[in-house]
Amino acid sequence: NRSTQEVGTALGLDLIDIIDRMADEPQRAELRRRLGAVYSPRLAATGALLDAKRNAADTADVKLLRRTLLYIVALGARDAALRARLADAAVQSLKDPAWLDSGLRDRVWAVGVQEQSPGVVDAMVAALRGKDALARNQAAVALGLADDPAVSATVQKIALDPAVPISEVFTVLTLEMQQPELRAATWDGLQQNFAAVGARVPGFAKPFLLQLAAPFCDAAAEAQVKEFSDLKVRELGAGELEAGRTVESIGLCTALKAAHAAELDALVAN
C-alpha cells in the first residue's frame, strides 16, 4: 500500500517525467507553471525548512514529504523564489556543512549546480572522489541534474575518472539522460566512450549501459538507439533483452506522445 505522502505527490512526479520526456520547451514552461500552482502551496504548508536543527523536530513522514515537495517545486516546477533560497543554501552548506539537513542536500546541491552557485560544481566533483558514501551519492544526483552544456561536459568526464565509483557514474549518467536539454549530447558522449566506460563495469553489467537511452521519445532516436544497440549486442555477445526493452520503451513513449499531441499543443494555445 502506498503511503499518504506517496499518493499525494505521485502525480507531480509523473508530470515531471512528462515534462522532461515528452514536452517541447513551450509546453514544459506551461506544465511547470501548473505544477508549481498545485504543489507550491503544499510545500508552504509543510514548511520549506532547510536547516538541520528545525528538520530534526519533525517526524520522519513530514521530512520525507518536505524532501519530495522540494524536488517537485524547485527542480520540477523551477519556482524562482525557492530556487534562489536553495542556491544560497548550497553555498552556505559548503561553509557550514552541519547547518544543512543531510536528507535535503541533494535537492539543495542540485539547484546550486543548475544555478552555478559559486564553488558548488567544484565541491560536488570533489565529493564524488571522497570517502563519504552519502555525500558521494548526493553529489552524483546534483551533478546528474545539471542542465548546462558547460557543466555537462565536466560531468561526462567523471564517467572516465577511476577515482569515482561506478555506482555514482551510473547515477550521474542516468540523470543526465533525463535532462531534455542535454539528452542527445550525453548519449553521443556515451556512445563515443562506450568502451572506456564499459571497461569500468563488470561484464554482466555492460548491457545495462544500453538502457541509459530509455528516456528518448522520438522515432529518429529510436532508430539510432536500435542501430547502436544492435552493434553492441553483437560485440558483447549479450544485452539483447536490455537493448530490446530500451528500444521498446522509446517506441511506446513516441506513440503515447503522438496520441496526446493535440492535448500538449492545447496547453500553449490556451
Side-chain angles (χ1 to χ4, degrees), residues 97-145:
W99 169 81
L100 178 62
D101 185 79
S102 61
L104 302 178
R105 285 190 307 196
D106 54 351
R107 276 47 175 153
V108 171
W109 288 350
V111 173
V113 167
Q114 290 182 349
E115 296 293 331
Q116 298 186 44
S117 301
V120 172
V121 172
D122 289 342
M124 297 302 99
V125 173
L128 281 182
R129 301 187 178 107
K131 296 181 179 181
D132 185 330
L134 177 59
R136 278 202 314 269
N137 177 263
Q138 291 174 322
V141 171
L143 289 171
L145 291 170

Side-chain angles (χ1 to χ4, degrees), residues 63-125:
K63 287 189 279 190
L64 182 59
L65 177 60
R66 177 177 295 122
R67 171 177 165 80
T68 304
L69 289 172
L70 281 171
Y71 177 81
I72 291 173
V73 179
L75 292 159
R78 305 287 180 103
D79 180 272
L82 180 60
R83 286 173 66 85
R85 277 192 60 206
L86 268 60
D88 289 343
V91 175
Q92 184 175 348
S93 75
L94 303 183
K95 302 172 184 176
D96 182 7
W99 169 81
L100 178 62
D101 185 79
S102 61
L104 302 178
R105 285 190 307 196
D106 54 351
R107 276 47 175 153
V108 171
W109 288 350
V111 173
V113 167
Q114 290 182 349
E115 296 293 331
Q116 298 186 44
S117 301
V120 172
V121 172
D122 289 342
M124 297 302 99
V125 173

Side-chain angles (χ1 to χ4, degrees), residues 15-239:
L15 184 55
I16 291 173
D17 186 59
I18 292 171
I19 290 170
D20 288 342
R21 197 174 180 198
M22 295 174 58
D24 61 25
E25 181 51 42
Q27 293 164 355
R28 287 197 291 270
E30 177 58 21
L31 287 170
R32 284 172 178 154
R33 185 190 68 77
R34 297 188 184 200
L35 185 67
V38 173
Y39 287 98
S40 290
R42 291 203 60 197
L43 177 59
T46 304
L49 310 179
L50 304 178
D51 59 287
K53 183 177 181 179
R54 287 188 292 173
N55 269 273
D58 284 323
T59 65
D61 284 344
V62 170
K63 287 189 279 190
L64 182 59
L65 177 60
R66 177 177 295 122
R67 171 177 165 80
T68 304
L69 289 172
L70 281 171
Y71 177 81
I72 291 173
V73 179
L75 292 159
R78 305 287 180 103
D79 180 272
L82 180 60
R83 286 173 66 85
R85 277 192 60 206
L86 268 60
D88 289 343
V91 175
Q92 184 175 348
S93 75
L94 303 183
K95 302 172 184 176
D96 182 7
W99 169 81
L100 178 62
D101 185 79
S102 61
L104 302 178
R105 285 190 307 196
D106 54 351
R107 276 47 175 153
V108 171
W109 288 350
V111 173
V113 167
Q114 290 182 349
E115 296 293 331
Q116 298 186 44
S117 301
V120 172
V121 172
D122 289 342
M124 297 302 99
V125 173
L128 281 182
R129 301 187 178 107
K131 296 181 179 181
D132 185 330
L134 177 59
R136 278 202 314 269
N137 177 263
Q138 291 174 322
V141 171
L143 289 171
L145 291 170
D147 55 4
D148 180 85
V151 177
S152 179
T154 298
V155 168
Q156 290 194 41
K157 293 177 183 177
I158 289 169
L160 305 176
D161 187 344
V164 178
I166 193 62
S167 57
E168 273 66 55
V169 170
F170 265 100
T171 296
V172 169
L173 292 176
T174 297
L175 291 173
E176 277 284 273
M177 285 298 297
Q178 293 174 12
Q179 309 309 307
E181 301 89 350
L182 301 176
R183 184 172 298 134
T186 301
W187 177 242
D188 286 346
L190 180 59
Q191 290 177 97
Q192 294 167 15
N193 295 300
F194 193 89
V197 177
R200 302 196 58 208
V201 178
F204 73 88
K206 292 182 192 297
F208 290 107
L209 289 170
L210 300 173
Q211 292 184 318
L212 293 172
F216 280 113
C217 192
D218 64 89
E222 179 184 1
Q224 195 280 326
V225 169
K226 184 179 187 308
E227 180 181 3
F228 179 78
S229 297
D230 287 348
L231 173 63
K232 292 305 170 185
V233 167
R234 289 194 296 271
E235 290 179 1
L236 296 171

